[in-house]
Amino acid sequence: MLLRSLLVLALVAPLTALLLPAQAEAQVDLDALRQATRDNRRDGDAHTRLGLALLRAGQYREAERVLKTAARLHDESIESLYDVARVAFAREDYRRSRGACRALERKYRGQSLTHVCRARAFLVWNRSGRAFEELEAATAAGGDHFEAHVALGDAYRLRAQVSEAEQAYRRAIALNDQRPEPHFGLGLLYSNARREADATRAFRAALQRDGDDPEILVELGTLLEGDEARRLLRRAVAGRPDMARAQTALGELELAAGETEAAKTAFEAALEANARDATALAGLGEIAIRAGDHDEAMARFNAALEVVPNNPHVVFLIGQLHEAKDEHREAYDQYRRAAAMAPNEPEALLAAASLALEQNRDVLATGFLDSLLRNHENLAAGLALYGDAMKARGDRAQARTYYQRALRGEGPLDRPAVERKLREVSAQQRRGNGVQNATRR
């Protein structure tokens, strides 16, 4: 968001300074694991380690091949066959999942992990009722099983049954606290329930147990802000360059921090993974505005609207484009439209009020700000702009009040600038009071 980027003050090193070493490290890890399997061709554990690392990196075809080799070397143990099925689960492919589970059914029919495998396949198909049936059978067959409790937690999570999911995940943690999966499941559960502090703690716990898993990195990175969020997302895309969501989230953070080239790289990578990523298209359009390439910006925004019609953020950015072209009436129209589409988002009304103040239209600005503060009464940026409007009217007392409220408000704020304005209007008010007192005497 352009307005948000103007309010973000922290600067960090460019993407290339941190991303390339991480990419190299991730590649070295896989190469080392591949070499280990070549050096120990009969070592099933070496193949399992490589296969699971490839799975985490999203290299599904090679992961499946290596894990099938590991299963043969492990005499098709139930655990090794289940590892092969994990690839199909990760691909969210029900047909492949059921096929992989049949290998367990042929050799281990009735065992707990076989039922867990079938439950996982049904969860891929979004059939939680069938999954619960299999998990009940798994419990009856094998009692307490880590994988069964994780799957049970996931099934309850998909039904938004928070307390039941918590109980299942907690039991899995009690059985094996060193595995990241139940902590990750809790993070997803709390994130869906908008319990962000709890979600952050759970994802951090998962990351402590597996610091390289891109899925964990992107979930935690999208919850956080600033430098730490970017570091996490950079690690995520280093491990999974094809993860569009991670690339898009990273691009937004880079753009907000003014790292335009890094943002462009991330957005383009997102589009390579998903050509219909509306957020990445909008991000590239925003970059084009900054570069003064208005035709390119409009083309990107039109492409984004083809994917998600009536996207309020894209409409807001079209308003920014009109403002950059000094087409003020059109800019106001788009800002009003964006605000009507997303009344809980402040960016459009903030931008409209800022433009009105630049044009010395303080009445129009306060109209936008009155609408804004009805939904965001404590938004620091809005209160600061209201102070600017009062200052423009010569109402120093009101300006002082709004600046003071802004400094106590919520959200991004250029605090040094507001403090300077507060000192200025306070001094002007004191001088005015002094003149009035002298006149009375």
Side-chain angles (χ1 to χ4, degrees), residues 336-396:
R336 289 189 182 97
R337 183 179 167 214
M341 293 165 66
N344 292 323
E345 292 295 329
E347 62 180 5
L349 291 173
L350 282 172
S354 296
L355 176 58
L357 287 172
E358 289 175 9
Q359 295 185 289
N360 298 315
R361 301 178 66 180
D362 58 274
V363 175
L364 180 61
T366 54
F368 287 125
L369 291 168
D370 286 337
S371 297
L372 172 71
L373 294 175
R374 276 196 290 271
N375 289 329
H376 306 276
E377 63 181 0
N378 203 31
L379 186 68
L383 293 166
L385 285 176
Y386 218 116
D388 291 344
M390 294 298 101
K391 181 181 177 184
R393 290 184 183 180
D395 190 338
R396 291 184 288 269

Side-chain angles (χ1 to χ4, degrees), residues 167-182:
Q167 183 177 354
Y169 288 135
R170 297 294 181 196
R171 182 55 191 158
I173 291 169
L175 291 170
N176 188 346
D177 186 39
Q178 298 308 305
R179 292 277 291 274
E181 293 95 324

Side-chain angles (χ1 to χ4, degrees), residues 139-326:
T139 301
D144 272 353
H145 193 292
F146 173 85
E147 295 287 354
H149 286 289
V150 174
L152 186 60
D154 290 346
Y156 280 125
R157 173 171 55 81
L158 293 175
R159 287 190 170 188
Q161 294 180 238
V162 176
S163 61
E164 293 86 348
E166 280 182 311
Q167 183 177 354
Y169 288 135
R170 297 294 181 196
R171 182 55 191 158
I173 291 169
L175 291 170
N176 188 346
D177 186 39
Q178 298 308 305
R179 292 277 291 274
E181 293 95 324
H183 297 282
F184 182 68
L186 282 171
L188 294 175
L189 177 72
Y190 295 141
S191 184
N192 292 338
R194 301 187 182 279
R195 292 166 54 178
E196 293 187 358
D198 290 333
T200 299
R201 281 192 291 272
F203 286 135
R204 287 193 188 282
L207 197 63
Q208 288 175 354
R209 288 152 180 81
D210 187 348
D212 297 317
D213 190 317
E215 295 286 350
I216 301 172
L217 289 164
V218 72
E219 292 295 342
L220 182 56
T222 52
L223 273 179
L224 301 176
E225 297 178 351
D227 292 357
E228 183 181 10
R230 277 193 292 173
R231 284 194 296 270
L232 293 169
L233 289 169
R234 286 168 176 170
R235 287 168 56 192
V237 301
R240 284 286 300 275
D242 64 337
M243 190 184 291
R245 181 184 172 216
Q247 294 282 11
T248 299
L250 177 60
E252 289 185 303
L253 288 175
E254 297 289 6
L255 188 57
E259 298 289 349
T260 306
E261 286 303 314
K264 184 178 180 182
T265 298
F267 288 138
E268 288 175 344
L271 290 176
E272 285 183 14
N274 177 12
R276 291 176 60 79
D277 188 321
T279 304
L281 288 165
L284 289 173
E286 188 171 348
I287 291 170
I289 293 177
R290 296 187 183 190
D293 192 342
H294 297 158
D295 291 340
E296 168 70 9
M298 197 66 231
R300 295 291 190 179
F301 297 148
N302 285 334
L305 289 175
E306 286 180 7
V307 178
V308 184
N310 297 321
N311 183 316
H313 181 60
V314 176
V315 173
F316 160 74
L317 289 173
I318 293 173
Q320 296 271 275
L321 175 58
H322 284 301
E323 183 176 341
K325 296 167 69 175
D326 292 328

